[in-house]
Amino acid sequence: MNQHSPCAGGFGDLGEIDFCAPLQQLFDEHPPLLAKMAEFKNMVQAFEANDSYTNWNEAVEQLHEKLEIFVAELEPHADREEDILFEMMVKYIGRESGPIAVMEHEHNTAKLHLKYFFEKVASTKSTNETLTREKALEVFQHLKIVYATLTDHFMKEEQVLFPMAEKMLSDEEKEELAVKYKEMSN
């Protein structure tokens, strides 16, 4: 079950944790998101390694298409965490320091770099700018930061935050979590 997550290796045995349905849902959303992140990371690496590539606008556009799909899946996941789970946990552990502060900082870092990427794509399209290799590599940096931030972030959630929430939240709060997640889906 949980021990098969790509983020679980080497950080303890998650097989002993039986997550409630809403936490399991968040956990189960990680592998498809990680797969999409691996796709855009691999594309960036392939473009960076190809010294003979010349159509950098096309490269950025291909990544843009991947990122639109990724963000469409990431946003509801992040909203469930930020708007519901984090708020429930804040009552117990606060938000000024500790796990929630770290999680929110990492969410903000990823969102900021996604915003920079999408703004650069929009600017390039609106001005018909022809991207050089150097400019494209600058744009790629934002995606590399998103990848590094979120892969580490998911591991922290799986190893620390979700187990902490499972132990900390009452059965009533877990039921409330389930109800609110369902409401968000409708």
Side-chain angles (χ1 to χ4, degrees):
M1 171 158 124
N2 298 335
Q3 67 272 22
H4 298 298
S5 167
C7 293
F11 293 96
D13 182 13
L14 290 175
E16 296 177 18
I17 298 174
D18 191 20
F19 290 126
C20 64
L23 292 174
Q24 187 65 49
Q25 175 185 345
L26 292 175
F27 192 100
D28 291 344
E29 288 170 353
H30 284 177
L33 290 168
L34 286 164
K36 285 186 175 45
M37 290 190 311
E39 285 179 23
F40 74 71
K41 177 195 75 143
N42 292 339
M43 287 176 69
V44 165
Q45 289 175 333
F47 287 128
E48 288 177 333
N50 187 343
D51 290 333
S52 62
Y53 198 80
T54 57
N55 192 341
W56 294 102
N57 289 70
E58 180 183 57
V60 169
E61 182 56 35
Q62 287 175 22
L63 282 160
H64 180 253
E65 290 170 13
K66 290 271 184 212
L67 267 292
E68 284 183 321
I69 294 166
F70 170 70
V71 168
E73 290 182 29
L74 179 66
E75 283 180 343
H77 175 82
D79 289 347
R80 281 189 284 281
E81 290 177 349
E82 292 172 6
D83 299 342
I84 304 170
L85 178 62
F86 293 178
E87 292 306 316
M88 285 183 149
M89 293 182 74
V90 160
K91 295 184 288 190
Y92 297 101
I93 59 175
R95 89 167 357 112
E96 300 310 312
S97 63
I100 299 300
V102 171
M103 296 293 110
E104 289 180 331
H105 173 73
E106 291 171 351
H107 276 207
N108 291 337
T109 298
K111 286 178 184 178
L112 182 64
H113 286 278
L114 286 166
K115 178 180 175 236
Y116 290 155
F117 172 79
F118 285 113
E119 285 175 351
K120 182 58 182 173
V121 171
S123 169
T124 300
K125 286 180 179 180
S126 71
T127 62
N128 289 320
E129 176 184 359
T130 300
L131 292 175
T132 62
R133 174 182 171 82
E134 291 71 31
K135 286 277 191 188
L137 295 180
E138 286 176 25
V139 174
F140 295 168
Q141 273 305 115
H142 296 296
L143 300 183
K144 291 165 93 172
I145 292 169
V146 169
Y147 177 83
T149 300
L150 290 181
T151 52
D152 185 54
H153 176 80
F154 287 177
M155 184 272 302
K156 289 176 191 169
E157 287 180 336
E158 292 176 9
Q159 297 299 319
V160 178
L161 192 75
F162 296 165
M164 182 184 288
E166 183 60 46
K167 291 177 181 154
M168 169 186 305
L169 299 177
S170 69
D171 289 343
E172 293 78 20
E173 288 169 316
K174 291 174 186 173
E175 183 57 37
E176 181 183 346
L177 200 59
V179 168
K180 287 184 176 182
Y181 281 14
K182 187 172 179 137
E183 288 171 358
M184 281 185 98
S185 298
N186 295 336

